[in-house]
Amino acid sequence: MASCPYSATTAPFDDLTELDAVGAPVDLDEARSWLEMFFAETQPRGDLEQRWRAIEADVEATGTYAHTFEELEWGARVAWRQSVRCIGRARWQSLVVRDARTADTIDEIAAELADHLRFATNAGRIRSTITVFRQDGPAGPRVRVANEQLIRYAGYAEPDGTVLGDPRYVDFTALLDSYGWQHPSPPSAFDVLPWLIETEQEMPRVVEVPGGTVLEVPVTHPGLPWFAELDLRWHAVPVISNMRLRIGGIDYSCAPFNGFYLVDEIATRNFGDVDRYHQLPAIAARMGLDTTSTSNFWQLRAAVELNTAVLHSFRTAGVRIEEPVAESALFSEFVKREEAAGRRAYGDWSWINGHIGSTFGRAWHRYYDTDEPNPNFWLDPAARELSNGHPSSDPLTLF
Ligand code: ARG
């Protein structure tokens, strides 16, 4: 019976009663090449062939195998190292890996997510962190967080066609409403969305983000006092929660991870984009710029002040953040080190250089290898749709 786990009337994962039975067995070639990489890069104690025999035997008997903590830790770090869209990968070896593979219930999962936020936020000295939940079974995920990120702001469609809050999440906010979310009243432009969590045994359920776990920074400008009147704020930590981590043939559909922000993710994109908070016209008007023509670079000039304000606000608040030219130089160092180590320099040029002032950065001046080998992070279409508020109708095709 294929039914939608996101309609409140059906049990989740109806078909997945035999998750530990042999289904589609793990790809042994992928497992083997991962293991060789792990041994070559980390020189762990123990013998490769002995570990391989154990993996083969497990796959033969059950269709799958489990990573040791060391394999999981290294695999998650390599997945970051090979993520083509991330400019911050120089820090890949510092990733803190939290092993939550024994968390089973929605309550246990929510407690882990809250612990992740507290640990990663670290009062502003943000730590790059991933929390890995149960690996997928042969028929799919056993744990799922529907949200795109652990911290996002609600979007409310107003009768006059405008949106209060983040327009990106209007449909997801409506989905949460259909699951009984009681949003703050009156609603504001920065209401933190609750989590929508589902497990193999439990129906999808809305869980509020516990109070005190979300650090936010109000936006002010070092030289323009009126900036505070825009009433902008943003959360300190971006925790991506809808991507699948794949290591050695094993999928972890629930493995939320975070780094810290590059300023223009918040300023240029989240605040500046026309289909997000759309602040550039108001800022340009305050700056006295003519917005009727693009020939005076009013968008760019407003965006520079907005980036200045966000960077200043985060730094004044003691919250870790980076600016693009420095980050671009650091990325180029990373690329140099990768190539010196005999590895390929993976990267999607448009993402690496998609920030304000990108031509001033060193990363702009060459192309990168666009292959995406595993270990890596994947955004599956169904997971993306779900986090956009559009669940698939069939649980077996969700991932
Ligand atoms: N661009 C996303 C946002 O604004 C965050 C993506 C991840 N960014 C990062 N610095 N790790 O929320």
Side-chain angles (χ1 to χ4, degrees), residues 292-361:
T292 60
S293 146
T294 51
S295 311
N296 58 355
F297 296 102
W298 67 265
Q299 287 120 319
L300 189 55
R301 293 168 72 182
V304 168
E305 297 308 340
L306 187 46
N307 274 268
T308 304
V310 172
L311 192 65
H312 162 82
S313 306
F314 270 60
R315 293 211 163 139
T316 308
V319 176
R320 198 166 180 196
I321 192 165
E322 200 40 272
E323 51 85 5
V325 181
E327 197 63 14
S328 178
L330 189 69
F331 178 75
S332 294
E333 291 298 319
F334 161 74
V335 165
K336 225 184 338 182
R337 281 202 301 276
E338 286 301 288
E339 290 180 335
R343 296 193 288 257
R344 290 152 69 190
Y346 302 108
D348 176 335
W349 191 95
S350 70
W351 276 69
I352 299 301
N353 292 296
H355 49 74
I356 194 168
S358 56
T359 58
F360 306 124

Side-chain angles (χ1 to χ4, degrees), residues 7 17 19 36 40 66 81-82 96 98 105 121 125 145 160 165 203 223 226 241 267 273 291 300 318 371 398:
S7 88
T17 47
L19 279 174
E36 287 175 5
R81 186 177 81 201
Q82 303 192 139
V96 177
R98 301 179 66 250
T105 65
T121 305
R125 295 181 306 282
V145 173
D160 66 356
M203 307 260 289
W226 50 261
S241 46
D273 278 348
T291 58
L300 189 55
D371 282 357
L398 268 172

